[in-house]
Amino acid sequence: MFSSPKTSACSLVLPIILAALVLVHQSNAQLSATFYATTCTNVSAIVTSVIQQALQSDSRIGASLIRLHFHDCFVNGCDASLLLDSTSSILSEKFAAPNVNSARGFDVVDNIKTAVENSCPGVVSCADILALAAEASVSLSGGPSWNVLLGRRDSLTANQAGANTSIPSPFEGLSNITSKFSAVGLNTNDLVALSGAHTFGRAQCRTFSNRLFNFSGTGSPDPTLNTTYLATLQQTCPQGGSGSTLANLDPTTPDSFDNNYFTNLQNNQGLLQSDQELFSTTDAATIAIVNSFSSSQTAFFQSFAQSMINMGNISPLTGSNGEIRADCKKVNGS
């Protein structure tokens, strides 16, 4: 029996519509907290265990790991592009200005990947490991827990130029930093909440010494620096001293994830220019948010968890895009 032209037109159109729906679904593919529920049930516990071990000998590793996730997500999305080493065809993001001699914790990421591969080979992406490591680092340090959304895949390339231009700098003004957050779909509340990750960890003198003696060519220190705190920092980072000496980002509780960072800003004790500008920029929308988080740790923790989820949603590779790297440092088959 021959089909009528009408029927055959329908039978042609239907697959086209279905194909279009599949494409739309892939481009809007949602990450899921239960992505590995059947394929790698204990992935979260494995990640937490390796980080707990690392914290025994390195009290700043939690802050270093969350920073890797941040610096990854701001460049081409959360795709583990930051973890790739240089090859003949890849210029590693590790050598971009915000990361060189600064980004650290890559060895711990490799240890997590090895442990996960031993349990669930070929299943969990390096991009998801960074997201899980960030959450575990915060919760192990006294901060909030959240359900990490999973299902990212790993990039096949890196973007060193993008890392040089897209990652916020400690020397930038608030408007520039706000623009960089906006460019990846994050708002002012996300900016203030995520800056609160500077409640733990360290920074090198070279990231804030511009504030200590001759700020912006004035011949004087940054006027928004508390004078007692300034004197302490000048001792830690004398003129002509080593740019790699470390200072606590939070002078009050340097290894605990709490809301003291925001109280520090109110007291003009933000270490980085980019920190203090959240509170000291005249009429900035960020001031009220700093005050809110300073007065309520619960409000900060809730916002921080949501903003981490928002950041983790930046342009992930999903479905059949990218790959699951066997070694986080290199693309498969290289």
Side-chain angles (χ1 to χ4, degrees):
M1 220 182 121
F2 295 103
S3 60
S4 72
K6 198 171 186 179
T7 317
S8 95
C10 284
S11 60
L12 278 173
V13 169
L14 195 59
I16 293 169
I17 291 171
L18 287 173
L21 285 172
V22 168
L23 283 172
V24 168
H25 178 68
Q26 283 180 345
S27 63
N28 293 329
Q30 290 300 300
L31 303 178
S32 161
T34 57
F35 189 82
Y36 299 113
T38 56
T39 54
C40 196
T41 316
N42 56 344
V43 61
S44 187
I46 296 170
V47 172
T48 299
S49 172
V50 175
I51 296 174
Q52 271 178 316
Q53 188 64 40
L55 279 165
Q56 303 301 312
S57 57
D58 181 2
S59 60
R60 58 191 283 233
I61 192 63
S64 299
L65 290 170
I66 196 172
R67 186 167 181 252
L68 291 183
H69 183 43
F70 166 44
H71 281 207
D72 177 41
C73 289
F74 266 65
V75 184
N76 290 15
C78 311
D79 61 356
S81 58
L82 170 59
L83 303 180
L84 290 172
D85 285 340
S86 289
T87 67
S88 57
S89 59
I90 292 174
L91 279 175
S92 176
E93 293 171 24
K94 294 176 183 179
F95 295 101
N99 297 323
V100 68
N101 298 321
S102 168
R104 62 191 295 277
F106 297 106
D107 53 336
V108 177
V109 174
D110 287 338
N111 291 344
I112 296 170
K113 180 63 171 171
T114 299
V116 171
E117 286 296 306
N118 286 340
S119 185
C120 327
V123 172
V124 180
S125 68
C126 300
D128 278 346
I129 284 173
L130 288 180
L132 287 163
E135 191 277 340
S137 296
V138 170
S139 60
L140 287 170
S141 304
S145 297
W146 60 92
N147 287 324
V148 180
L149 302 185
L150 301 164
R152 301 167 193 81
R153 289 165 65 84
D154 298 323
S155 72
L156 304 176
T157 187
N159 183 2
Q160 188 183 99
N164 277 320
T165 55
S166 301
I167 296 171
S169 151
F171 313 111
E172 283 186 295
L174 181 56
S175 61
N176 276 16
I177 292 175
T178 302
S179 296
K180 287 186 174 182
F181 272 73
S182 181
V184 292
L186 299 176
N187 64 24
T188 304
N189 199 75
D190 296 317
L191 163 59
V192 180
L194 293 172
S195 295
H198 288 172
T199 179
F200 66 169
R202 318 281 179 265
Q204 298 180 40
C205 286
R206 64 186 174 92
T207 61
F208 59 88
S209 56
N210 65 308
R211 306 181 68 203
L212 303 184
F213 302 100
N214 180 22
F215 182 61
S216 298
T218 59
S220 303
D222 185 338
T224 65
L225 256 177
N226 174 298
T227 51
T228 310
Y229 188 41
L230 169 66
T232 304
L233 294 176
Q234 286 174 330
Q235 284 190 310
T236 304
C237 306
Q239 282 183 295
S242 168
S244 59
T245 303
L246 298 173
N248 294 324
L249 280 159
D250 175 356
T252 52
T253 50
D255 295 321
S256 297
F257 199 99
D258 53 33
N259 68 332
N260 285 359
Y261 167 85
F262 298 102
T263 309
N264 296 339
L265 299 186
Q266 292 173 323
N267 296 330
N268 285 349
Q269 288 185 300
L271 182 63
L272 307 178
Q273 177 186 337
S274 53
D275 290 324
Q276 193 58 48
E277 290 216 4
L278 297 176
F279 186 74
S280 298
T281 303
T282 309
D283 295 329
T286 51
I287 297 170
I289 307 172
V290 170
N291 291 337
S292 164
F293 292 163
S294 172
S295 63
S296 170
Q297 182 163 280
T298 303
F300 166 49
F301 279 9
Q302 287 176 342
S303 281
F304 184 82
Q306 186 56 55
S307 291
M308 285 297 293
I309 291 168
N310 296 345
M311 185 178 80
N313 281 335
I314 300 172
S315 306
L317 297 171
T318 56
S320 58
N321 294 313
E323 65 180 16
I324 307 297
R325 280 184 219 144
D327 179 341
C328 292
K329 298 183 296 296
K330 56 188 186 180
V331 297
N332 294 340
S334 65

